[in-house]
């Protein structure tokens, strides 16, 4: 993060790392609490999220092509944001687990990100979904 935004102070880089790496993990009700904690730790610091505009456009296009776009603009924005959060999480972690209720959109988010990177950037993305419950711990690693 520091290399990507050298103009930010160490405090702002730390705040941004905490925010960007933890927000996607929280349920809706916990977000205001976490934002309050960040405001207490970093008073007055409010940095907008850095968004990969080219990827965001590719994600929006992919959702529209797949007819997954919602008529309600705020809902569509949240759909796109979830894909972007997964991408941002994968930039800093080498393993990622997407969890949620049945029919909650987990597969759609993963597939949309993969197709957006393939079609939008020419980066071939291969997915190998696994059922962690069907494997022993040594088999997973």
């Amino acid at each position: 993060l520091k290399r990507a935004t050298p103009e930010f102070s160490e405090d702002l880089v730390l705040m941004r790392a905490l925010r960007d790496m933890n927000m996607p993990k929280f349920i809706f009700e916990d977000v205001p609490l976490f934002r309050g904690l960040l405001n207490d730790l970093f008073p007055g610091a409010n940095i907008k999220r850095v968004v990969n505009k080219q990827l965001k456009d590719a994600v929006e296009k992919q959702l529209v092509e797949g007819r997954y776009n919602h008529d309600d603009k705020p809902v569509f924005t949240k759909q796109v944001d979830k894909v972007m959060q997964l991408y941002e999480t994968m930039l800093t972690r080498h393993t990622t687990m997407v969890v949620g209720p049945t029919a909650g959109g987990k597969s759609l988010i993963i597939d949309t990100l993969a197709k957006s990177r393939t079609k939008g950037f020419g980066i071939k993305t291969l997915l190998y979904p696994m059922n962690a419950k069907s494997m022993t711990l040594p088999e997973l690693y």
Side-chain angles (χ1 to χ4, degrees):
L1 287 176
K2 182 66 177 165
R3 282 186 229 138
T5 52
E7 69 276 6
F8 289 173
S9 69
E10 292 290 326
D11 288 349
L12 294 180
V13 172
L14 176 60
M15 192 274 303
R16 188 174 151 215
L18 288 170
R19 183 196 62 200
D20 292 351
M21 294 305 105
N22 288 297
M23 287 290 270
K25 297 184 227 173
F26 294 131
I27 59 172
F28 180 75
E29 292 80 12
D30 290 342
V31 170
L33 177 64
F34 183 70
R35 285 191 174 142
L37 288 170
L38 285 178
N39 286 336
D40 290 345
L41 291 170
F42 305 97
N46 186 12
I47 304 172
K48 294 203 179 268
R49 252 173 80 197
V50 177
V51 178
N52 182 333
K53 181 71 172 133
Q54 188 179 1
L55 179 61
K56 185 177 178 184
D57 292 342
V59 167
E60 289 175 352
K61 182 179 177 188
Q62 189 61 43
L63 287 171
V64 169
E65 284 177 6
R67 301 171 96 192
Y68 291 110
N69 58 316
H70 199 281
D71 293 336
D72 187 5
K73 185 67 173 166
V75 172
F76 183 65
T77 301
K78 285 182 183 179
Q79 289 173 323
V80 172
D81 193 46
K82 282 297 173 187
V83 177
M84 297 304 295
Q85 286 176 355
L86 176 62
Y87 172 74
E88 292 165 1
T89 301
M90 294 176 88
L91 287 176
T92 57
R93 298 188 182 350
H94 51 270
T95 58
T96 304
M97 190 180 324
V98 179
V99 296
T102 302
K106 300 175 299 290
S107 296
L108 176 64
I109 289 168
I110 294 166
D111 292 340
T112 300
L113 179 58
K115 289 176 183 174
S116 297
R117 290 182 49 83
T118 300
K119 291 182 179 178
F121 297 90
I123 299 170
K124 187 174 182 182
T125 306
L126 302 174
L127 300 174
Y128 298 100
M130 297 184 296
N131 181 356
K133 294 177 184 176
S134 71
M135 305 171 95
T136 64
L137 198 57
E139 288 175 323
L140 281 172
Y141 295 99

